[in-house]
């Protein structure tokens, strides 16, 4: 079955530590996205990539970094510069045309300890 | 600024009732609109995708309509069941990015 796999499901980060969230898709989609979800705030876009080796900042990119070395993979690193990283992180993908819909992964819950 | 608003924020209904969830958006120049379902602690599941040239889409007990000129979409759920309890999110594609509403939390009581 085609889909998006996010791992791990739960992640704990110590203060000052960088952590990387994995996102892999086998849908042959060109575009991939990272969203952050906080209670009462809805989904906010962190970074997106429409093609391999290219990505753009979303609305809340500060303290995050990404790479897109392969079409199937779009990992997100939460750096120590992100002051409030505790949240639910969702990865999505879409076909290259803008009339395509989005497919989401099952999410990673990150908690700072 | 392109914004998506969902009303109400929460809705509680008895089992078997037909119900309507509302979504409004600020810019009529859209590519498509997508309705998602999210269960607690889970990812988003796509329910219906309506292209800008379409007026409605149906899947089982779900029917979504789109009126671009008024900037509105509705999600109609027929004969609601307790298993329909979840948060329903409306998302509008204005460009390469999807803009989300904050969702309507639906509770269907047995």
């Amino acid at each position: 079955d085609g889909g998006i796999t996010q791992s791990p499901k739960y992640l704990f980060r110590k203060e000052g530590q960088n952590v990387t969230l994995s996102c892999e898709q086998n849908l042959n989609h060109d575009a991939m996205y990272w969203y952050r979800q906080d209670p009462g705030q809805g989904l906010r876009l962190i970074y997106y990539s429409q093609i391999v080796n290219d990505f753009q900042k979303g609305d809340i990119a500060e303290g995050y970094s990404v790479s897109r070395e392969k079409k199937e993979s779009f990992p997100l690193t939460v750096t120590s510069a992100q002051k409030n990283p505790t949240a639910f992180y969702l990865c999505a993908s879409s076909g290259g045309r803008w009339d395509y819909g989005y497919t989401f992964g099952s999410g990673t819950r990150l908690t700072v300890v | 600024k392109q914004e998506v608003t969902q009303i109400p924020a929460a809705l509680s209904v008895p089992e078997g009732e037909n119900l309507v969830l509302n979504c409004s958006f600020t810019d009529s120049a859209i590519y498509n609109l997508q309705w998602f379902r999210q269960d607690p602690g889970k990812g988003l599941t796509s329910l219906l995708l309506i292209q800008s040239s379409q007026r409605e889409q149906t899947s089982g007990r779900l029917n979504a309509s789109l009126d671009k000129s008024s900037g509105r979409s509705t999600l109609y759920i027929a004969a609601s069941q307790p298993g329909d309890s979840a948060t329903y999110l409306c998302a509008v594609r204005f460009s390469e990015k999807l803009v989300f509403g904050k969702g309507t939390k639906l509770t269907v009581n047995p």
Side-chain angles (χ1 to χ4, degrees):
Chain A
D1 272 342
I4 298 179
T5 300
Q6 289 189 241
S7 62
K9 190 174 177 65
Y10 300 97
L11 187 57
F12 298 91
R13 192 194 93 166
K14 294 181 180 178
E15 295 282 350
Q17 200 176 43
N18 292 353
V19 292
T20 297
L21 284 60
S22 171
C23 178
E24 303 276 336
Q25 55 102 356
N26 61 3
L27 298 165
N28 199 32
H29 283 169
D30 290 311
M32 297 186 74
Y33 308 81
W34 274 105
Y35 287 87
R36 170 178 172 145
Q37 188 175 36
D38 297 279
Q41 293 227 39
L43 275 78
R44 293 182 290 169
L45 183 63
I46 305 172
Y47 268 99
Y48 63 102
S49 167
Q50 297 184 82
I51 195 169
V52 174
N53 292 321
D54 188 44
F55 49 83
Q56 288 77 39
K57 293 181 179 180
D59 302 316
I60 55 164
E62 185 175 351
Y64 300 97
S65 66
V66 294
S67 63
R68 186 86 186 276
E69 298 176 0
K70 299 187 301 181
K71 186 176 185 177
E72 302 80 14
S73 179
F74 191 42
L76 173 74
T77 296
V78 184
T79 74
S80 57
Q82 171 49 240
K83 298 307 177 189
N84 185 23
T86 294
F88 190 52
Y89 291 86
L90 287 159
C91 178
S93 71
S94 178
R97 285 172 37 177
W98 292 0
D99 57 354
Y100 280 40
Y102 278 40
T103 300
F104 277 80
S106 58
T108 293
R109 182 162 300 280
L110 174 62
T111 303
V112 174
V113 296
Chain B
K1 183 181 178 183
Q2 293 161 334
E3 294 182 340
V4 177
T5 303
Q6 291 186 248
I7 295 173
L11 182 64
S12 182
V13 301
E15 181 177 3
E17 191 164 298
N18 301 328
L19 58 99
V20 173
L21 307 181
N22 296 295
C23 173
S24 61
F25 46 94
T26 54
D27 185 348
S28 62
I30 72 170
Y31 287 88
N32 57 50
L33 184 146
Q34 201 166 357
W35 282 94
F36 293 91
R37 168 185 172 138
Q38 186 176 31
D39 294 289
K42 306 293 186 183
L44 276 62
T45 299
S46 181
L47 298 173
L48 291 164
L49 171 67
I50 311 178
Q51 300 296 343
S52 63
S53 59
Q54 298 175 321
R55 292 296 296 238
E56 66 177 343
Q57 282 284 347
T58 298
S59 176
R61 295 183 293 108
L62 306 179
N63 176 277
S65 67
L66 174 64
D67 183 344
K68 276 196 314 177
S69 61
S70 66
R72 296 184 185 277
S73 175
T74 62
L75 178 66
Y76 175 83
I77 302 177
S80 59
Q81 303 170 358
D84 294 330
S85 298
T87 296
Y88 291 80
L89 294 161
C90 170
V92 178
R93 191 156 194 174
F94 295 104
S95 61
E96 74 274 20
K97 296 180 284 185
L98 207 58
V99 179
F100 284 85
K102 293 186 177 180
T104 294
K105 184 176 182 180
L106 173 66
T107 302
V108 181
N109 301 301

